[in-house]
Amino acid sequence: MWGVLDALTTPTTAPPAAPWLDLPGDPRAAAVVLGDRVVSRAELRDLVEDAGRPLAGTRRLVLVAMQNRLDCLVAYLAALRQGHAVLLAAGDRPDVLEGLRAAWDPDIEISAVGEVDVRRDAPAAPLHPDLALLLSTSGSTGSPKLVRLSYDNLTANAEQIAEFLQIRETDCAATTLPLHYCYGLSVLHSHLVRGAGIALTDLAVVDECFWDLARRAGVTSFAGVPWTFEMLDRSGFSGVDLPRLRYVTQAGGRLDPERVQHWAQLGRESGWDFFVMYGQTEATARMSYLPPDLALSSPGSIGVPVPGGSLEVVDGELCYTGPNVMLGYAERPADLALGRTTTRLRTGDLGRVGPDGLFEVTGRSSRHVKVLGHRVDLDVVERRLRDGGRDVRVAGRESLVAVSVRGGERCGAGSGVDHGAVRRAAAAAGHVPLGAVRVVEVTEHPTLAGGKVDLQAILALGEGGAATSSSPEVDGESGSVARMYAAALHRDTVAADATFASLGGDSLSYVEVSLKLEELLGDLPPSWHVTPVGRLQEQADDALAATRRGASGDDGSRPRADRGVAGAGPTAYGRGRRAGGGRQRTVETGVWLRALAILLIVGTHADLFSLQGTAHALLVLVGFNVARFALAAPQRAARLRALGRGLVRIVVPTLAVIVPAHFVWGDYETRNLFLLNWAFGEQRLGPPWRFWFIEALVFALVVAIVLTAVPAVARLEKRWPFGLPVTLTLAAFTLRLPLFELPVPRMQGSALVVLFLFFLGWAIARVSTPRHRWWVTVAAVLLVGTFSGNPARDVLSLAFVLALVWKPTTRLPAWLVPAVQVLAASSLYVYVIHWQVLEHLWGRPVLAFTGSMVVGVAYWLLWTRVLPWVGERLARVGAWPAWRQVAHT
């Protein structure tokens, strides 16, 4: 055991009482796994000793700019091992670092790239001998108060966590959280204590490269906050293969009980445990945990105290005692000389304990809220907004900061409060994403009967208010994501918390948006369509900054796309690879499937070749995208509007071809004008069946609208998001079987007969576990693989569907992507008009194929570029104000 001498009387530094800092364990075992390097415990020990030499001498305050990099990790361990008091901060936040320098005047600073700046040989302020680590009370939310932790605190909590997680020497944890965050830091400490290793990365959990590293490193665990698990849900984590995964932990905010049950069940099916944990920086990290075997039966509980700790409810508030309770707070440099000032931690959380001995958090008693895993001091946010001359009141809850502001801040003559400016200022004061802030303008702040501010009323106003600004911009260097969304989806304004799905994006617009977004971010997050614009903008800004650093020769670390807590998308790594000489881009598999399908459809119809079956696969893809986009909105009215918009965007350009063809040239039948040939057509193929695919799409959307409009069905979909579409798929498939007579022709192109394909796509979009993925695979093999009775046709359809199920995104040559984008985006319009082109070019397959594609793309440009442009000009001169909305629809 290393001893500690009092730095107030001793001029030298003695090693601290923390044996794990000497990195015990097998010296050959992997301590840190990087992308292309494995650092053994012996090598890490040598690195720490080398980094500690410039730090030798008198015990001082050391500011360590921490990022998830080996240099930062080594510097942190070296400073602790030399017995210094470490002030840990986010290395990618210059504003936070500058604030800490000004407030605490550190004696030594170690930058994020390992550069050591020794400012003085003796401490500027006395340091208590037990003081080991200083962390912000709220991660990095701007609060000046620091938590004082001792070496005993660090050791005790690391041992507590290692004990209830049963961490082994052979374990390896992925750094899914930043190491300057107490939760992420506790993962490091608990593994060092047991001689285990970590996979060190700043990649986000929705980046495929992260999972590649996790597999190579043999990761056995990873940690996440609620936002992490939301991203994993959306990005299809259930399909990730991690053969050594033993457990997953969750903390940093309350996870909804139904999501706890979901992840616990997923873990049970996949062979790993799911631990819900509760903690605060003031308790070093963790205070309680929910045993995995209780997660299904008690999903709303925080469980039992960690080994050696004790929880109790005092006057309704949770209080904790244990060896991991902080020494106390520090609000000024003089406080660093203080010893222990607290032994019992009042958490500020209201709670109760059940008859089973499990504790539960029921609310907050203080002015702190958690936003994406970070505790935000609402008083600090309010004070800083007032310091800027704004008359505001601030309230908050989980993942929301609500600001009421009295009118007076003007952005121009005759205009009201500049909501965008207030939101940006609040987000900066609290260091939270812009999308987490809502601003409402009031004439007087809501108050209670006694005159106190009514925080609940402000919160209610914020929950119901709009988070928009006066232009389609979001916080960031250029607002490029918002402007792109505004242009592609024909919106005047785009809120930072808006998503592609909430803005009315659909299967017709997602091709253009997804590919443009990939250009901005470098790699396309699988869950981009439900990721807020503000968060996407942060990733775009990070990617742009990384590109500029690469161009200037800066080899600094890549910024985290998750902004300090949990991954919301890829880092600039993807953009860097492409810009640095790579020749591939990430494209959603559904995009290139659409492009390939329309080529095969037109080529087959032009007699250039014969490869049938892709139109049936496209129906599956339509169901998949409708479920992702139109059915993603939480409100039923919004889902109905999205489905209605999609229906109009299909019907109008189709009838624009059919109607003149019928009345001018005598093509088709009257029933085609109503897209009802599937219901009243003859039991034989002919020209009236040419639009069977469009009719099937329209019928499927009408059915979806009817189902969505029924409240009981909406409740079923919410309760069984996967089970409902699977049931609908099986029920609709019976219409294909000769079990009973149908009142319509039983043709392979009949809208009734192929309806099950739409529902199958819906089910694929709701896959959330490995078992679900295998169920839809089996369903596809049995239903799609035997649909037509033509093996070649059915195998091609099945191949398309399985690609959609098992490969959500694909890397394509960069030179090919623009062509894929055009083909996929124009596929509907090509299909609609290609029959008219073929009428004039039969017998010349190459010319017929080429002409159909060219005319189809031109028809697409007419509807998506020319008509909106004309509408904009007509609306500007007042010639037809409604034209713009019609053209955009």
Side-chain angles (χ1 to χ4, degrees):
M1 298 287 287
W2 292 337
V4 179
L5 299 179
D6 193 338
L8 297 174
T9 59
T10 305
T12 59
T13 301
W20 54 272
L21 287 172
D22 201 27
L23 303 174
D26 184 352
R28 298 166 299 178
V32 181
V33 180
L34 304 167
D36 55 357
R37 178 182 175 189
V38 177
V39 179
S40 68
R41 299 190 75 79
E43 184 181 357
L44 181 59
R45 187 181 300 123
D46 292 341
L47 291 172
V48 170
E49 288 182 357
D50 291 341
R53 292 190 180 97
L55 306 177
T58 306
R59 172 175 162 80
R60 284 158 287 174
L61 179 62
V62 179
L63 173 61
V64 176
M66 177 63 82
Q67 292 187 20
N68 287 25
R69 294 168 45 98
L70 182 61
D71 291 344
C72 298
L73 172 62
V74 168
Y76 168 69
L77 295 176
L80 283 181
R81 193 174 185 278
Q82 288 294 324
H84 295 297
V86 175
L87 172 55
L88 202 61
D92 59 349
R93 293 296 306 272
D95 55 331
V96 172
L97 291 170
E98 184 58 36
L100 292 174
R101 291 189 199 102
W104 300 97
D105 190 22
D107 307 306
I108 302 174
E109 181 174 347
I110 305 177
S111 73
V113 293
E115 297 175 348
V116 180
D117 179 14
V118 179
R119 298 174 178 175
R120 57 184 69 89
D121 295 329
L127 304 174
H128 192 275
D130 292 341
L131 180 62
L133 182 62
L134 294 162
L135 294 174
S136 169
T137 57
S138 45
S140 285
T141 64
S143 176
K145 187 185 296 184
L146 297 179
V147 170
R148 296 181 292 116
L149 300 173
S150 68
Y151 290 102
D152 287 343
N153 289 153
L154 302 183
T155 301
N157 203 223
E159 289 285 3
Q160 290 168 325
I161 295 169
E163 180 176 342
F164 73 75
L165 291 180
Q166 299 181 19
I167 297 176
R168 309 164 183 168
E169 198 170 296
T170 54
D171 280 335
C172 179
T175 56
T176 47
L177 302 168
L179 294 180
H180 63 78
Y181 175 43
C182 73
Y183 185 11
L185 195 61
S186 71
V187 174
L188 170 67
H189 292 167
S190 58
H191 281 71
L192 289 179
V193 159
R194 291 299 168 90
I198 62 169
L200 184 62
T201 179
D202 60 358
L203 295 172
V205 294
V206 293
D207 193 325
E208 290 186 8
C209 297
F210 173 86
W211 299 111
D212 290 341
L213 171 63
R215 281 185 286 270
R216 292 197 308 271
V219 161
T220 57
S221 68
F222 66 86
V225 297
W227 182 258
T228 310
F229 294 98
E230 185 176 343
M231 289 297 97
L232 290 174
D233 275 337
R234 295 171 177 176
S235 61
F237 167 77
S238 59
V240 175
D241 179 28
L242 292 176
R244 295 196 63 219
L245 187 64
R246 292 204 303 117
Y247 63 87
V248 175
T249 65
Q250 182 272 320
R254 182 177 184 269
L255 190 64
D256 289 339
E258 58 267 24
R259 303 316 300 159
V260 171
Q261 291 178 318
H262 164 78
W263 284 94
Q265 183 62 39
L266 177 60
R268 179 171 295 184
E269 294 173 359
S270 305
W272 45 265
D273 291 327
F274 185 66
F275 285 86
V276 174
M277 306 190 299
Y278 168 71
Q280 291 180 359
T281 308
E282 289 85 343
T284 309
R286 307 275 65 82
M287 290 184 282
S288 73
Y289 71 100
L290 181 64
D293 58 330
L294 299 179
L296 289 175
S297 59
S298 303
S301 169
I302 61 170
V304 297
V306 297
S310 174
L311 273 172
E312 57 182 333
V313 180
V314 179
D315 297 328
E317 182 182 8
L318 284 174
C319 295
Y320 176 83
T321 55
N324 52 315
V325 172
M326 64 177 178
L327 297 174
Y329 291 115
E331 298 188 67
R332 58 189 64 84
D335 294 343
L336 302 184
L338 297 176
R340 179 169 293 280
T341 59
T342 183
T343 56
R344 186 175 70 172
L345 175 62
R346 299 181 66 89
T347 65
D349 286 324
L350 303 177
R352 62 185 174 218
V353 58
D356 53 4
L358 300 179
F359 286 83
E360 182 179 350
V361 174
T362 59
R364 286 291 295 172
S365 64
S366 70
R367 288 277 286 160
H368 291 80
V369 296
K370 285 203 171 182
V371 177
L372 302 181
H374 282 311
R375 282 173 55 209
V376 177
D377 189 329
L378 298 177
D379 288 329
V380 169
V381 175
E382 184 171 308
R383 183 170 63 251
R384 293 190 178 179
L385 289 176
R386 289 187 182 184
D387 290 344
R390 300 175 175 95
D391 185 356
V392 300
R393 300 294 184 271
V394 179
R397 60 159 172 75
E398 181 85 16
S399 300
L400 173 66
V401 176
V403 181
S404 69
V405 55
R406 290 184 63 192
E409 183 184 0
R410 305 293 173 178
C411 58
S415 61
V417 170
D418 187 344
H419 288 221
V422 177
R423 290 178 63 234
R424 289 190 291 271
H431 296 297
V432 298
L434 196 64
V437 180
R438 297 291 181 98
V439 175
V440 291
E441 182 178 359
V442 296
T443 54
E444 296 292 340
H445 296 294
T447 57
L448 299 170
K452 291 184 177 180
V453 177
D454 189 345
L455 297 177
Q456 290 301 315
I458 293 174
L459 191 58
L461 289 172
E463 290 173 334
T468 59
S469 59
S470 58
S471 63
E473 296 281 345
V474 294
D475 199 26
E477 180 175 340
S478 62
S480 52
V481 176
R483 280 200 300 273
M484 183 269 286
Y485 270 40
L489 301 176
H490 309 294
R491 297 278 179 161
D492 292 325
T493 60
V494 172
D497 60 348
T499 67
F500 176 80
S502 71
L503 290 171
D506 55 24
S507 59
L508 297 177
S509 55
Y510 94 100
V511 174
E512 176 184 2
V513 173
S514 66
L515 290 172
K516 287 185 177 179
L517 191 61
E518 192 266 349
E519 291 180 359
L520 292 172
L521 304 186
D523 273 330
L524 187 68
S527 56
W528 66 270
H529 60 290
V530 286
T531 300
V533 168
R535 187 166 291 275
L536 293 172
Q537 183 62 52
E538 291 175 357
Q539 297 172 46
D541 291 345
D542 283 347
L544 180 60
T547 301
R548 289 175 175 173
R549 284 199 300 271
S552 63
D554 184 354
D555 62 351
S557 67
R558 296 183 298 273
R560 285 185 65 85
D562 54 79
R563 291 285 180 173
V565 180
T571 64
Y573 186 53
R575 176 183 285 262
R577 279 181 300 180
R578 192 173 75 242
R583 295 184 177 87
Q584 290 188 324
R585 288 178 56 184
T586 302
V587 175
E588 284 203 350
T589 296
V591 173
W592 68 260
L593 286 178
R594 277 175 64 170
L596 179 58
I598 195 62
L599 289 175
L600 298 183
I601 289 171
V602 175
T604 297
H605 291 168
D607 294 329
L608 186 62
F609 44 72
S610 181
L611 288 170
Q612 296 179 311
T614 52
H616 288 145
L618 280 182
L619 283 173
V620 177
L621 183 57
V622 170
F624 176 75
N625 284 326
V626 165
R628 292 172 71 203
F629 307 137
L631 299 180
Q635 295 83 17
R636 188 168 43 138
R639 295 196 294 272
L640 289 171
R641 286 194 298 270
L643 289 168
R645 283 193 300 267
L647 188 63
V648 171
R649 293 185 67 182
I650 293 172
V651 170
V652 173
T654 300
L655 293 184
V657 171
I658 294 178
V659 171
H662 175 71
F663 287 105
V664 177
W665 295 290
D667 295 340
Y668 312 124
E669 302 295 333
T670 303
R671 56 183 178 270
N672 289 118
L673 300 177
F674 301 94
L675 301 179
L676 289 174
N677 184 71
W678 67 271
F680 303 106
E682 300 176 356
Q683 189 84 19
R684 61 184 179 86
L685 292 177
W689 281 99
R690 289 177 177 175
F691 293 93
W692 73 266
F693 176 76
I694 302 298
E695 293 181 350
L697 286 185
V698 170
F699 179 71
L701 287 175
V702 170
V703 170
I705 289 173
V706 172
L707 291 174
T708 303
V710 178
V713 176
R715 288 193 295 270
L716 288 174
E717 203 275 340
K718 184 175 182 179
R719 185 171 183 181
W720 291 296
F722 178 72
L724 177 64
V726 168
T727 302
L728 292 173
T729 301
L730 297 177
F733 185 74
T734 61
L735 300 174
R736 172 77 179 93
L737 305 176
L739 302 177
F740 44 80
E741 290 295 326
L742 290 179
V744 300
R746 184 177 267 114
M747 303 279 286
Q748 291 184 11
S750 170
L752 272 180
V753 172
V754 298
L755 180 62
F756 80 95
L757 296 169
F758 175 85
F759 289 135
L760 178 60
W762 181 350
I764 293 172
R766 297 294 186 254
V767 164
S768 61
T769 69
R771 180 178 295 180
H772 289 172
R773 198 173 301 277
W774 281 109
W775 280 351
V776 295
T777 298
V778 171
V781 171
L782 295 178
L783 306 185
V784 180
T786 61
F787 175 65
S788 71
N790 181 331
R793 181 175 189 164
D794 292 339
V795 166
L796 183 58
S797 299
L798 181 61
F800 271 56
V801 175
L802 294 183
L804 186 66
V805 173
W806 291 97
K807 188 69 173 175
T809 60
T810 308
R811 301 288 290 176
L812 295 181
W815 60 266
L816 185 60
V817 171
V820 170
Q821 176 181 1
V822 171
L823 290 172
S826 63
S827 56
L828 172 72
Y829 302 87
V830 173
Y831 185 92
V832 165
I833 206 167
H834 84 284
W835 285 114
Q836 305 309 119
V837 179
L838 293 180
E839 283 286 352
H840 302 282
L841 297 174
W842 290 121
R844 289 171 284 180
V846 174
L847 184 59
F849 171 76
T850 305
S852 296
M853 297 305 303
V854 170
V855 173
V857 171
Y859 192 55
W860 165 66
L861 291 173
L862 172 67
W863 281 94
T864 61
R865 299 294 189 272
V866 177
L867 290 182
W869 181 85
V870 171
E872 291 283 357
R873 268 96 193 128
L874 290 175
R876 286 180 184 178
V877 300
W880 192 357
W883 168 261
R884 181 181 176 186
Q885 283 71 29
V886 173
H888 286 171
T889 300

